[in-house]
Amino acid sequence: AQKITQTQPGMFVQEKEAVTLDCTYDTSDQSYGLFWYKQPSSGEMIFLIYQGSYDEQNATEGRYSLNFQKARKSANLVISASQLGDSAMYFCAMSRYGNNRLAFGKGNQVVVIP
Amino acid sequence: KAGVTQTPRYLIKTRGQQVTLSCSPISGHRSVSWYQQTPGQGLQFLFEYFSETQRNKGNFPGRFSGRQFSNSRSEMNVSTLELGDSALYLCASSLSGYSYEQYFGPGTRLTVT
């Protein structure tokens, strides 16, 4: 079974500052993928970034980067230069490699303030 | 390119009724997955269809069922609705049997009274 843990309470972030969202996971799989999704109040889940378990380099996508520490089973998301439009729920998820089934964490609420 | 569409967007049903939700994936995508999102349980996987075949199934009772058509459009059905079925139902499509990019639709908000 796969388990994702996101325990941070809601966060307020100053515009233009960086924010780190914590995610730890547990799995017995050797090959897996880690994902971060953004869910604004409209409800749609927006894919942000992906990290494969065998990728040696941390993934980056624009202002998003994933700090992957395999031994610690953590996959933290870093958002640089926060914007007002970044206010949303952020979900960490994982899947077994070769499988589209995603297991999600409970999410982190982020509010960016001007 | 059009995104994933879900219909209807909002639905109100009464306990005991049944409901059918529809999901049209991005053109060319063959995999459709369904998720239920509630405040208490969070996001939970329901099932995945790929090329009209159910590939994965989550831990939901048999009242929850789905199917996929030859054009990759998918429907999910919930029979004998319970109050606890009130949720946001999201579908996600991806190009292939395994893709690190799954695109989600806007969801269908189901309220059971």
Side-chain angles (χ1 to χ4, degrees):
Chain A
Q2 300 165 331
K3 185 178 179 182
I4 298 283
T5 302
Q6 296 176 260
T7 57
Q8 285 168 303
M11 304 173 69
F12 289 92
V13 181
Q14 202 75 40
E15 196 177 6
K16 299 181 184 177
E17 297 207 336
V19 58
T20 298
L21 305 180
D22 297 338
C23 171
T24 58
Y25 62 91
D26 190 23
T27 182
S28 57
D29 297 320
Q30 296 300 310
S31 301
Y32 50 89
L34 294 156
F35 305 77
W36 278 92
Y37 283 86
K38 170 185 177 182
Q39 187 177 43
S41 56
S42 59
E44 185 171 349
M45 299 287 283
I46 302 167
F47 166 77
L48 295 178
I49 196 166
Y50 165 83
Q51 177 86 43
S53 60
Y54 287 111
D55 293 338
E56 294 188 353
Q57 288 197 323
N58 288 339
T60 60
E61 288 285 350
R63 295 187 298 111
Y64 305 106
S65 60
L66 198 153
N67 184 0
F68 179 47
Q69 298 186 48
K70 192 172 182 177
R72 298 181 63 182
K73 292 189 175 180
S74 78
N76 298 340
L77 176 72
V78 180
I79 307 174
S80 63
S82 296
Q83 302 172 354
L84 296 178
D86 294 335
S87 295
M89 282 289 287
Y90 289 82
F91 291 92
C92 180
M94 72 179 303
S95 71
R96 178 179 300 156
Y97 190 77
N99 193 314
N100 280 335
R101 175 176 181 165
L102 292 167
F104 285 89
K106 295 292 188 185
N108 295 106
Q109 179 73 52
V110 173
V111 176
V112 179
I113 52 178
Chain B
K1 201 177 207 182
V4 179
T5 57
Q6 291 187 246
T7 57
R9 292 293 311 279
Y10 302 91
L11 206 49
I12 300 175
K13 289 286 189 179
T14 305
R15 270 182 303 175
Q17 289 185 316
Q18 75 164 9
V19 66
T20 299
L21 311 182
S22 180
C23 173
S24 293
I26 292 171
S27 178
H29 284 197
R30 294 164 62 193
S31 167
V32 174
S33 298
W34 289 89
Y35 293 84
Q36 181 197 64
Q37 186 176 23
T38 60
Q41 298 298 318
L43 280 148
Q44 297 185 88
F45 173 82
L46 282 155
F47 28 65
E48 180 202 7
Y49 286 87
F50 180 73
S51 293
E52 301 180 65
T53 301
Q54 187 180 86
R55 287 206 324 161
N56 279 298
K57 189 177 189 308
N59 297 323
F60 279 81
R63 300 186 296 108
F64 292 81
S65 63
R67 59 177 175 169
Q68 187 180 34
F69 302 94
S70 59
N71 61 357
S72 293
R73 187 178 71 88
S74 177
E75 289 181 346
M76 67 163 282
N77 183 277
V78 187
S79 63
T80 320
L81 284 165
E82 301 177 358
L83 294 179
D85 297 333
S86 294
L88 179 66
Y89 290 88
L90 294 160
C91 79
S93 79
S94 66
L95 189 60
S96 65
Y98 178 65
S99 173
Y100 72 86
E101 281 194 76
Q102 292 191 57
Y103 296 89
F104 281 79
T108 294
R109 173 79 61 185
L110 172 65
T111 301
V112 182
T113 62

